[in-house]
Amino acid sequence: MTTVVQTTNLCKTYGKNRGIDDLNLQVVQGEVFGYLGPNGAGKTTTIRTILDFIRPTSGSAQIFGLDSQRDSLAIHQKISYLPGELVMYEKMTGREMLEYFAQLRGNVSQMAIKQLAERLELDLKRPIRSLSKGNKQKVGLVQAFMGQPELLILDEPTSGLDPLVQQTFYQLVLEAKNSGRTVFLSSHVMSEVEHICDRVGIIRAGKLLAIDTVKALKARARRTLDLYFAQPVEPSAFAHIPNIDDLQVLGNQVHCAVTGSIDQLIKTAAQFELRDLVSQATDLEDIFLAYYKGEVSDVA
Amino acid sequence: MLRNIFSKTIYERRRSLLWWGLGIIMLVAVLIGFYPAMNNPETSQQLAKAMEAMPKEMLAAFGVTDVANLTTPAGYIQGRLFGFMLPLIVMIFTIGLGSRVIAGEEEARTLDLILAHPIRRSTIVWQSFAALCVLSLAMGLITWLSLWLGVLLLDMQIGASELGAASFNMSLMALCFGAIALLIGAATGKRALSMAVATILAVIGYFANSLASVIDWLVPLQKLSPFYYADYNQPLKHGFHYLPFLVLGSVIVLCGFAAVKLFERRDVAV
């Protein structure tokens, strides 16, 4: 697999409590990579460093094997970018705006603009200033997808979009992936990342906490379990299991939280007569919150 | 019209150019229109008397350095138009534009989208710079044409080439401050700051030049002022001279190069 984005000990500091710290991440060709973190975690800083808008304090970033600073022109020929805070020329119409960007990019067909606008139900004749936030975002999305770039860098792409348009967006991402393009998207919406991303990196306070497939992250997740036994059980019977916490024993009912594998807990429980077992479904949100609170600290 | 940053900047400023251009035309029309009244011997004598009573420093501050000449066509146009009002209008335009092209876009956050495209930072600066030059010189062209028409209509006996030289020098001088605004905007990304610094430099430059005729110690400093070159060798009387073109042109081009170097080096829109 070809590496598309590679950051090596990437640091960017400005002021205090901002920036990114010793970031190592790798995105390979054809994957949809989700970059997840709360606001202010350093998602946008990472993206803007990769794009050479800001320069790393130390470390480096390679895109398509090219240096983000030295070869930025060659890199920018193969990428598109949707800013998190999208601002466009208010007086221009959507069409003027997109044609301007098409000229700056080169190799954009009018047909691509027209088709994307139709799919997103965007009226290109209206001036930007008269568009709602969601419709402005659509102009930004057309801009990002129209040039058929090899790498799409999308910063909070679905903000302001209604659910129906979000589905169209997921479709566009899937099509890009299926044609071998790479998508790097940042988000603080867990469900969206879970829905469309192959791999996820979780960032908090400038540090990459975990980077793994959605599946693997889920397997490492902390989940709560309630076990109901035929007879009362002793708490000591469960105390030796290393990966459980929040253990509460009430007569014949046991409540606990498990991080990672539930194998040991189940084997222990199987020594008694088990009547019922309730497991809270895990979604990425819980994993994310666990990382966010600092409950999980291992980095893959 | 929206093929690149150069044409986009010009296209975007077309209305602004129209309004400022109309302002110049109206100013020229009104002041040239009053010339016959001033030219009448009785009025001119009264005016000369009134002027003599005024402090020379004050007159100098308003760009009037030669009271006796104020009623000749060249003296009138120099004192009334090129001395203060025309540069003021053109400089508001050039400084406003110079601070807008890079720093304005950066503060508005539209620069991010441009930077993500396959376009060098130096290209962004040079194209913005070129648009600033063209629009500033267009203001000079409007000044020239409206003055020429006025002078022809009133038979004021100043040649098109002399009017052209004065208008060209004035627009170069205004462009100088516009280029300074662009440079500071490109170096810092702060629009208000770049506008303020360029304006302060323009005010200092204006007084350093105009008060030098009455304050001796300003004389050596006068040569640092772009205003000095705008009026160098009295273009309304002697036409084009290479020196203002050379000096002002060099300052403008140097600002462009410095803007490119400083913009390439820094973090954008942090």
Side-chain angles (χ1 to χ4, degrees), chain A residues 21-84:
Chain A
D21 186 15
D22 210 21
L23 196 75
N24 290 289
L25 62 81
Q26 195 182 36
V27 179
V28 296
Q29 198 209 323
E31 75 170 335
V32 179
F33 181 82
Y35 200 38
L36 196 59
N39 292 325
K43 301 189 294 286
T44 301
T45 301
T46 310
I47 289 173
R48 298 183 87 247
T49 312
I50 288 173
L51 288 166
D52 192 40
F53 299 171
I54 54 180
R55 274 62 188 265
T57 310
S58 63
S60 64
Q62 270 91 39
I63 296 91
F64 307 110
L66 300 165
D67 183 77
S68 69
Q69 291 189 70
R70 204 182 49 239
D71 308 311
S72 66
L73 195 69
I75 292 169
H76 288 187
Q77 261 152 2
K78 298 194 204 177
I79 62 163
S80 72
Y81 165 58
L82 176 68

Side-chain angles (χ1 to χ4, degrees), chain A residues 12 48 52-53 55 89, chain B residues 105 112 121 264 267-268:
Chain A
K12 177 68 189 176
R48 298 183 87 247
D52 192 40
F53 299 171
R55 274 62 188 265
Y89 303 109
Chain B
E105 291 236 355
D112 263 28
R121 286 199 188 184
E264 275 178 339
D267 288 354
V268 171

Side-chain angles (χ1 to χ4, degrees), chain A residues 121-140:
Chain A
E121 294 178 16
L122 170 67
D123 182 359
L124 290 172
K125 290 192 284 289
R126 287 174 63 187
I128 301 291
R129 66 165 174 274
S130 74
L131 298 177
S132 66
K133 189 176 188 302
N135 279 323
K136 280 182 192 168
Q137 193 69 8
K138 289 180 190 173
V139 178

Side-chain angles (χ1 to χ4, degrees), chain B residues 27-269:
Chain B
L27 178 75
V28 167
V30 168
L31 281 162
I32 295 274
F34 270 107
Y35 178 70
M38 297 288 279
N39 197 26
N40 151 340
E42 203 177 313
T43 339
S44 67
Q45 261 181 4
Q46 278 173 1
L47 182 79
K49 256 188 201 159
M51 290 273 200
E52 263 163 41
M54 292 181 198
K56 266 201 294 194
E57 289 82 356
M58 197 189 89
L59 289 173
F62 281 98
V64 180
T65 45
D66 193 352
V67 175
N69 243 340
L70 203 58
T71 52
T72 67
Y76 182 79
I77 290 175
Q78 174 60 38
R80 281 312 174 97
L81 286 162
F82 285 111
F84 186 69
M85 284 302 283
L86 279 174
L88 181 70
I89 290 181
V90 181
M91 278 191 314
I92 292 173
F93 177 83
T94 55
I95 291 176
L97 182 61
S99 60
R100 179 192 289 265
V101 282
I102 307 271
E105 291 236 355
E106 187 169 341
E107 282 187 357
R109 306 199 79 85
T110 48
L111 196 58
D112 263 28
L113 270 173
I114 306 296
L115 280 171
H117 285 83
I119 182 164
R120 282 176 210 285
R121 286 199 188 184
S122 56
T123 310
I124 296 176
V125 174
W126 281 127
Q127 291 200 1
S128 306
F129 176 83
L132 171 69
C133 292
V134 167
L135 289 168
S136 304
L137 293 174
M139 296 288 274
L141 186 69
I142 293 168
T143 307
W144 179 40
L145 293 176
S146 51
L147 274 173
W148 191 14
L149 185 70
V151 163
L152 278 180
L153 287 175
L154 294 178
D155 195 21
M156 284 169 80
Q157 308 289 333
I158 306 177
S161 64
E162 283 77 16
L163 290 170
S167 306
F168 180 61
N169 284 6
M170 179 211 44
S171 55
L172 271 189
M173 183 265 291
L175 173 55
C176 233
F177 292 106
I180 290 170
L182 182 144
L183 163 61
I184 292 162
T188 65
K190 296 189 169 72
R191 183 180 170 192
L193 176 78
S194 73
M195 210 186 262
V197 172
T199 305
I200 289 165
L201 286 176
V203 171
I204 293 172
Y206 176 77
F207 284 112
N209 178 54
S210 62
L211 293 179
S213 62
V214 285
I215 301 172
D216 289 342
W217 60 265
L218 278 176
V219 173
L221 294 175
Q222 183 185 25
K223 292 193 174 58
L224 294 174
S225 166
F227 285 86
Y228 171 78
Y229 296 95
D231 192 29
Y232 183 83
N233 196 36
Q234 296 181 300
L236 282 173
K237 283 181 189 154
H238 307 120
F240 180 81
H241 193 281
Y242 73 93
L243 191 77
F245 175 67
L246 207 68
V247 173
L248 296 174
S250 307
V251 172
I252 291 161
V253 172
L254 278 176
C255 283
F257 275 107
V260 168
K261 284 289 155 230
L262 294 169
F263 185 60
E264 275 178 339
R265 280 171 46 176
R266 76 179 170 89
D267 288 354
V268 171

